[in-house]
């Protein structure tokens, strides 16, 4: 099932820069592994912001929470989660698939 | 280029039901044509709302405005547009492509 | 899976009173059937408001949307949906169960 | 009587990690004791947030305030309290009971 | 127990003036009866607004909802309810009493 | 004349605990003296919050400002002031009196 | 005593234009009489808005409410009232006077 | 030309008290000089707040910005500026004058 | 002097379409005349909205109000005005000029 | 293509003043170079604020993000980006040109 997730990152200026850098590297590794697994289906940067818009494809809300709450930068994120479903005008017949009907 | 668009539809209760129905049918046809052309890349329903979250892939902001402002239900929509770009942790090397690098 | 749903009802004063009454009766019947089926697990009135707080236990976000968007009063509701999961301090070991562990 | 309570936790990054951990453990113990006593009737995690939604069943508003204001993490919480009552479409005849009428 | 209630009245300009006047007279009668019974303990006008701030002393949240939701102007009100309790610095030892300790 | 005052207290976690405790004791003493004098007519705790709702009966807005701005915890408060007057449906004929007409 | 008042006027498009015009003329006459009496001490237009910012010098909050609530356009206004007092850095020694000390 | 300016002061608790005091004294001196020159035409305290409402009479927006941005407490202020003009119902024929027409 | 103006247009669905069309044509004519005169210096459409962002170069706030409040669509606009001045990092030495210094 | 960008700068009071000054100088140099290149087309100060309103003319949203996210003061900015396009009433026939048609 799909969830629309926005993550706004606010790293406090008092955080040790080396720690901040390490957390960012870890965050990147986790994000890429989750994208490769198909769980983190889309990841876009919001222009001008230290924030992203993402689409997650998970087994359950519990799995989504486990993923989000263990992200290395989670303590510095404001996260907004909204549940998605298939739109009646969508040309895709599987709410979890990106492949158009006519292909 | 990609834009994140949210459309909240509020059809006034005084609108003639037949007209409302016709506008919804026209909206559906336009939305499906734009999806088939690749411009309206994603279209999801927000659970519990008469609203959608969409990703558009357009040539310019002007093209996006032309599309949105001529949607049959546009007069009854509250629209929010945000520009997207590639996220540095994305595994996709083309901001406009959905195909992962490792495939 | 569980979702927290708030429904604020705003029936326009121009709605025909007989129609409003009929819709309320239908809404009541649907709500009670869904409670009996276990899908609409909790339903509370917010004191002083024409609004409720509810907990739904559904198979998928899509099922939740189908239920909410076909409620008789849906056209007059402002609905807010938030996904829930088990709290780590909960004494209940099944996120979908109300029965405490120690019983 | 029932109250709907939301608790958003924001532990400042300057708090000593050992103290933070101890407070979380104490919070957990208090929350579980209150659940076992039936006062903290429901406790859910909001997906993607360091926050919960809870239902309390108390003798009075004063008892609720005593409970909330002495939670170990209270100094780091933003708390929202709303009074609940039985919904006229509820199939439960006792506002404080979870047992459906037809069982 | 005490609740702090704010009522903002917005009578739609399309309401029949005679009906509006009758509802206001009925509201006044109900409000005065509830004040005499001690349930509607305080009633103040907010300067410059068609709104009031009130303190209710009720047996339960359910009683408060019954009172508010049957006020003649309730369909045209936006109501905000907040639970009160005794303040630790109050000189009054009974949360429901206005009589100071030292009298 | 009457004013409705809300005070939200936010003591920064970096404040010396001994100083915080002293300020709270001083605040309490001032609040009780002002209650005894009749100026701070009502003082309630908002359930679940480190905040109060108060009614002040003062000679002038200037007196109210002098009182509020010299409260020991004022530097840590967010204060909201709203002017009150007699409600036309009130059964009390003196806006400054709590004694009902019929007693 | 002084109050800062903002009035945002929203005349509904369904109001009879002749009635709207008459109300505006009456409003103007009342506003000018109150200015001449010294009660409506300042009246400014907010640039680009059908709104004003005003300073009233009244005997009491009750008098202010009587004035505002009987303005001809009051049913179509959103009014915000805030109490003022002398600023400690003001060069004027009477909070109600505009005449500087050194003149 | 006239501008309506609100200044909310938030001095961080970590600021050196001696520095804070010196800045307040300097602010006071600047504010009084600008009042004497006629540029800072009105200065009122908002009751219960560390904030003021002011009316400035300046040659240009640029002059207003120069004044505001060099106030000693400017780094700790949240400032809101709104342009004013003569209200059509004002009895004063010069938007920059306080003297009524009929005197 | 320069002002930043945003205009959000909301034409009520009950407005006669012929009148709406005539007002739009008149608005267009006025907007173009003001652009030619140099007063309405910039006019942009916000993508996806029936709204614009504009820069006006006027003699005074009063002139700006006269222009905005007489626009044919003004009764259906929500207008936000903010004063601008030269930015210290701007390469243009005249706040009212678009021509760069180095040309 | 054009984007409307607002930047609100909030330098934390704990930042080393020498570092803050250096960042401001670097920001200024970058801003001026981008103005000379034509990318940062307009830059205005919002009166009374440590904030600017800017118009950028970029090749893509990605270019805009690269520019904004590498500004020296970006870590201390709250940035709002909105896409612009030609307004149908504009007298300029190229959305990227400032030169009026009739010159």
């Amino acid at each position: 099932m799909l969830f629309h997730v926005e993550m706004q990152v606010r790293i406090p200026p008092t955080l040790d820069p080396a720690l901040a850098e390490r957390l960012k590297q870890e965050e990147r590794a986790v994000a890429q592994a989750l994208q490769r697994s198909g769980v983190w289906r889309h990841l876009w940067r919001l222009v001008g912001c230290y924030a992203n818009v993402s689409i997650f494809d998970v087994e359950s809300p519990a799995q989504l929470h486990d993923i989000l709450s263990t992200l290395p930068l989670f303590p510095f994120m404001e996260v907004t989660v909204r549940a998605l479903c298939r739109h009646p005008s969508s040309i895709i017949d599987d709410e979890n698939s990106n492949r158009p009907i006519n292909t």
Side-chain angles (χ1 to χ4, degrees), chain A:
Chain A
M1 66 198 59
L2 299 183
F3 287 90
H4 182 276
V5 181
E6 291 191 42
M7 306 178 207
Q8 169 76 44
V9 186
R10 298 187 209 274
I11 294 180
T14 53
L15 193 71
D16 172 52
L19 174 56
E21 191 52 36
R22 206 186 66 217
L23 291 173
K24 289 181 195 176
Q25 291 306 319
E26 292 174 3
E27 176 89 11
R28 181 190 185 90
V30 173
Q32 293 190 337
L34 286 164
Q35 287 174 82
R36 287 201 184 85
S37 75
V39 165
W40 197 326
R41 190 182 287 192
H42 298 290
L43 170 59
W44 296 288
R45 174 65 85 207
L46 278 164
V47 169
C49 305
Y50 190 4
N52 70 67
V53 169
S54 295
I55 307 292
F56 281 82
D57 184 359
V58 290
E59 296 297 314
S60 66
Q63 183 192 7
L64 180 60
H65 185 73
D66 288 346
I67 290 170
L68 294 174
S69 62
T70 56
L71 288 176
L73 291 173
F74 180 74
F76 310 114
M77 283 180 183
E78 182 181 344
V79 178
T80 308
V81 172
R82 292 186 290 176
L84 298 177
C85 62
R86 189 177 171 274
H87 192 283
S89 297
S90 173
I91 59 171
I92 303 174
D93 67 351
D94 176 343
E95 75 176 39
N96 285 347
S97 166
N98 272 321
R99 289 185 189 78
I101 289 173
N102 59 344
T103 62

